[in-house]
Amino acid sequence: MHPAAQQAISILLAEGKTPTVATVKAKLTEPLPMPVIIAALAAYKNNPDAITQSATISAPEPTEPQNQLDRIEAKLDRLLALLEEKK
């Protein structure tokens, strides 16, 4: 199972929500193809304990707002570098 999909499912479960394709896609920290999301959901439905066991073993990932902030900062750095080059 893809780690990003697993993390999204774990977040949904922690929030007390039922994982669906739409909810998992909304919680992803990186874009994934739809077949990968569907496969992750199928794996979860076949063995729900696998998500909770793997989630406790793996290291905690940065939260979604932090990832978004990191992406925004990287884009801003690139834009500033481009502006400096044009001067």
Side-chain angles (χ1 to χ4, degrees), residues 1-18:
M1 180 181 310
H2 193 281
Q6 182 178 357
Q7 179 186 9
I9 293 171
S10 295
I11 291 169
L12 289 166
L13 293 173
E15 293 175 353
K17 297 178 182 176
T18 302

Side-chain angles (χ1 to χ4, degrees), residues 4-44:
Q6 182 178 357
Q7 179 186 9
I9 293 171
S10 295
I11 291 169
L12 289 166
L13 293 173
E15 293 175 353
K17 297 178 182 176
T18 302
T20 64
V21 172
T23 58
V24 170
K25 187 171 182 174
K27 291 288 183 187
L28 288 173
T29 56
E30 62 185 76
L32 290 179
M34 195 63 66
V36 174
I37 297 170
I38 293 169
L41 279 171
Y44 162 71

Side-chain angles (χ1 to χ4, degrees), residues 17-81:
K17 297 178 182 176
T18 302
T20 64
V21 172
T23 58
V24 170
K25 187 171 182 174
K27 291 288 183 187
L28 288 173
T29 56
E30 62 185 76
L32 290 179
M34 195 63 66
V36 174
I37 297 170
I38 293 169
L41 279 171
Y44 162 71
K45 288 180 180 179
N46 287 333
N47 187 9
D49 295 330
I51 294 290
T52 55
Q53 291 169 354
S54 297
T56 57
I57 294 171
S58 63
E61 297 287 328
T63 60
E64 185 175 331
Q66 184 61 41
N67 286 340
Q68 185 177 11
L69 180 60
D70 291 342
R71 287 192 303 269
I72 292 170
E73 286 178 339
K75 287 179 183 179
L76 181 58
D77 289 341
R78 284 192 301 259
L79 288 172
L80 290 172

